[in-house]
Amino acid sequence: YIPATQMAKDNGIATLANMIIMGSLLENHPELSFDGTEELVNKLVPPKKAALVELNMKALTMGAQYK
């Protein structure tokens, strides 16, 4: 269990609970990898919403660091 919704709300990124869960999955499942994640997020986020890259990476990192 990871309290992703509460973690997201507490960190001002309430809409990114799904990314917290993804970060946890990437970190805790050996068949998955965190490598290349930032590059992929950069490709998927439109240039005019570039500020979302940092927020998405923050959420992914929070999930990866959750114990």
Side-chain angles (χ1 to χ4, degrees):
Y1 172 77
I2 180 168
T5 301
Q6 191 60 51
M7 289 170 65
K9 286 179 184 178
D10 291 348
N11 286 277
I13 52 174
T15 60
L16 295 177
N18 60 327
M19 295 301 278
I20 292 173
I21 293 168
M22 181 59 69
S24 180
L25 287 169
L26 290 170
E27 181 67 23
N28 294 298
H29 291 276
E31 64 274 8
L32 302 174
S33 174
F34 208 87
D35 295 339
T37 304
E38 187 166 4
E39 181 182 341
L40 181 61
V41 171
N42 273 304
K43 285 182 181 180
L44 294 174
V45 174
K48 64 183 178 180
K49 294 190 177 192
L52 293 177
V53 171
E54 184 179 337
L55 294 175
N56 277 277
M57 291 308 301
K58 175 182 177 179
L60 285 165
T61 301
M62 287 171 53
Q65 294 176 346
Y66 182 78
K67 301 294 178 205

